[in-house]
Amino acid sequence: MAADFLFQVFPTSGLPIYRQLVDQVRRHVASGRITSGDFLPSVRQVALELEVNAMTVSKAYSLLERDGVVELVRGHGMRIAKRLPASDTLEERQRQLAPLVEQLLAEAYQLSLSPTQVQNLLARAIKERNGK
Amino acid sequence: MSDETLLTHHVLEMRGVSKLYSGRAVLDRLTLCVPRGTVVGLLGKNGAGKTTLLRAALGIARIDHGTVTILDEPAWTLSASAKQQIGYVPQSPQLYPWMRVDQIIAYTASFYLHWNRALVERLVTQWEVPLRRRAGTLSVGELQKLALVLALGHEPALLVLDEPVAALDPSARREFLKVVLEIAAGGERTEIFSTHITSDLERVADRVAILQRGAISFFGELGELKDQVKRLAITSTNSLPEQFSLPGQISQRIEGKQALVTTRAWSPGMAGEIESQWHAEVEVQDLNLEEIFLELHDA
């Protein structure tokens, strides 16, 4: 897959580029856009196509490897791992999601959506996802 | 812990370097060690001494104190073979105005044992460098492109660029940054470029060196810098102290129950501590390089 299909980096963001890449891979895995067994484009390919430093990409990949999201297949590159590790505690994983929930609620408030309407929206989205 | 401690091999080592101009220290006991294979962006205000630093690094400017070692040799007495390994583009390249561009290229190539003709041809075409014109008739941007081509032709192990994109238009700038990345992708070659355009640096550099008051105030991975420097927006239900003294604090503004505090030693535990100590809510704001640069200079 071409790197710019998979990633979109904002170099002038306050979030370091390596973190942007890590987050995007995690998000693509979560949304099913890439699944276990898929290979990520090579470090070199990502660096040249996105026009970012190769060391930055390689840092992102090694963090993903450390966290068990991808595994290194010698001679082939980085492959999305079989199953996502659930090494973190439930509390920790909920904590990671908290900022997004916060943002969702803030946006919902701006759009004058009631709590029930937000809950319905979430329920519908979850149902659609599971039905896939 | 970054890899600096493991990577003992530095392409450039400047230790305790001072350079005086009519009594004023432009470089003041400056230390900078650049590991092989890195792309270093040297960031500093106008007049901060970026050019002086680069010239001292290359042994073009004589230093008053300290030591400079480049490619394992003292910079001031660099051997011819070491010079073959270095490419340098000064801020305002001086080229022979009476010579045609293609003549200058051939002339420069004759000094080097190794010259990548194909690369030079590709760059000349890509950057539309006018081969048949005399150097004296070129615009500042064209001259800068030509100087870059000349510095890249011998594929140096160390490339030093002083404000390389200052005179380029946005599309030539992107083309140039692409070349920087291509060179870096091999992992063998080292590049040091000075700039005051932070957005270019954020894309291509893996390390940033910030030059302030004649010394390096930060040198490290760009991602690390962004991880470490955070602005905290603190909102309390009670009143806040008159002064915060957080670890690594750079600046603070306190107005009643609200405060903005910037630290360069951010750790995830910090927010919780502030929240419990001051009955406050803390929003952690990411800062980009330009904002970090400004914060460091306002401090």
Side-chain angles (χ1 to χ4, degrees):
Chain A
M1 193 185 293
D4 45 359
F5 277 53
L6 208 53
F7 300 115
Q8 187 186 19
V9 294
F10 302 94
T12 54
S13 152
L15 201 63
I17 296 176
Y18 80 89
R19 285 196 189 267
Q20 297 180 31
L21 295 174
V22 167
D23 290 350
Q24 287 171 25
V25 170
R26 285 181 176 279
R27 221 175 298 142
H28 287 326
V29 171
S31 72
R33 192 154 164 221
I34 43 177
T35 52
S36 70
D38 286 348
F39 278 91
L40 293 177
S42 74
V43 167
R44 198 188 154 81
Q45 193 188 342
V46 175
L48 292 180
E49 284 180 26
L50 299 182
E51 296 176 20
V52 294
N53 189 285
M55 277 203 214
T56 310
V57 182
S58 124
K59 180 166 183 171
Y61 278 20
S62 41
L63 281 174
L64 287 165
E65 192 189 5
R66 187 201 66 188
D67 294 347
V69 179
V70 299
E71 52 198 8
L72 179 67
V73 184
R74 297 237 170 261
H76 288 276
M78 288 292 189
R79 183 171 62 192
I80 303 297
K82 283 266 177 318
R83 201 167 354 106
L84 271 184
S87 54
D88 290 339
T89 61
L90 175 63
E91 264 183 357
E92 173 57 23
R93 282 176 284 150
Q94 283 175 332
R95 196 192 61 77
Q96 286 178 15
L97 199 62
L100 283 176
V101 174
E102 197 62 44
Q103 197 185 335
L104 174 78
L105 295 181
E107 299 270 340
Y109 176 79
Q110 291 293 324
L111 295 165
S112 315
L113 289 170
S114 73
T116 318
Q117 286 164 329
V118 175
Q119 279 167 356
N120 288 343
L121 204 64
L122 268 177
R124 203 188 312 148
I126 293 168
K127 207 170 150 192
E128 272 175 21
R129 237 184 102 72
N130 291 340
K132 251 207 301 212
Chain B
M1 181 76 33
S2 65
D3 51 356
E4 251 98 325
T5 44
L6 301 172
L7 244 163
T8 49
H9 205 92
H10 295 134
V11 176
L12 170 68
E13 286 193 15
M14 304 178 81
R15 294 190 190 276
V17 172
S18 295
K19 169 76 187 169
L20 308 165
Y21 281 116
S22 50
R24 192 176 75 93
V26 174
L27 304 181
D28 190 5
R29 286 157 293 172
L30 173 143
T31 292
L32 176 65
C33 296
V34 176
R36 182 180 300 280
T38 54
V39 180
V40 178
L42 174 64
L43 198 59
K45 277 191 191 171
N46 287 332
K50 301 189 290 287
T51 299
T52 306
L53 187 156
L54 297 181
R55 286 170 57 86
L58 293 165
I60 300 169
R62 187 159 207 168
I63 56 170
D64 297 295
H65 297 285
T67 55
V68 180
T69 309
I70 187 164
L71 300 171
D72 298 321
E73 288 184 24
W76 188 248
T77 54
L78 211 55
S79 69
S81 67
K83 285 177 185 163
Q84 293 272 334
Q85 298 295 312
I86 298 173
Y88 170 53
V89 181
Q91 207 167 359
S92 340
Q94 301 295 323
L95 297 165
Y96 316 95
W98 64 88
M99 278 172 83
R100 271 202 332 257
V101 170
D102 53 353
Q103 290 170 329
I104 292 179
I105 292 174
Y107 181 65
T108 307
S110 71
F111 287 105
Y112 293 102
L113 300 168
H114 168 78
W115 189 262
N116 188 336
R117 210 175 276 276
L119 172 72
V120 169
E121 275 171 23
R122 202 194 85 203
L123 293 177
V124 161
T125 316
Q126 222 170 55
W127 292 348
E128 296 171 337
V129 178
L131 286 174
R132 308 296 292 172
R133 295 242 310 273
R134 289 189 196 284
T137 70
L138 300 184
S139 71
V140 183
E142 287 168 330
L143 213 55
Q144 202 164 28
K145 285 188 221 168
L146 173 57
L148 279 169
V149 170
L150 297 177
L152 293 168
H154 59 292
E155 302 190 299
L158 171 63
L159 187 61
V160 178
L161 310 165
D162 195 358
E163 297 275 358
V165 294
L168 302 185
D169 60 56
S171 76
R173 225 169 77 201
R174 271 310 265 279
E175 284 299 328
F176 163 73
L177 294 177
K178 225 182 240 178
V179 173
V180 169
L181 286 167
E182 274 174 31
I183 293 169
E188 294 294 313
R189 297 161 71 189
T190 312
E191 297 170 88
I192 305 173
F193 69 99
S194 71
T195 186
H196 58 268
I197 304 173
T198 51
S199 60
D200 289 344
L201 203 154
E202 279 174 304
R203 194 173 266 285
V204 302
D206 56 271
R207 267 152 235 255
V208 55
I210 299 178
L211 180 61
Q212 246 183 313
R213 289 183 286 274
I216 299 296
S217 61
F218 176 88
F219 178 63
E221 284 181 29
L222 182 54
E224 220 163 78
L225 181 66
K226 286 184 178 176
D227 282 339
Q228 287 168 358
V229 182
K230 299 286 174 195
R231 188 190 291 141
L232 311 176
I234 304 168
T235 315
S236 176
T237 46
N238 303 353
S239 65
L240 289 171
E242 287 192 2
Q243 298 275 314
F244 278 98
S245 50
L246 302 178
Q249 184 169 306
I250 306 171
S251 69
Q252 57 179 326
R253 267 176 47 214
I254 303 166
E255 282 171 21
K257 295 179 176 178
Q258 303 204 345
L260 284 175
V261 184
T262 305
T263 168
R264 58 183 293 173
W266 163 250
S267 63
M270 215 181 250
E273 278 171 37
I274 299 169
E275 281 174 347
S276 57
Q277 194 180 350
W278 302 103
H279 300 281
E281 258 187 52
V282 176
E283 185 204 340
V284 183
Q285 299 174 347
D286 297 320
L287 301 180
N288 70 16
L289 188 56
E290 184 168 297
E291 292 164 322
I292 292 172
F293 184 75
L294 292 174
E295 284 276 2
L296 288 174
H297 279 81
D298 290 344

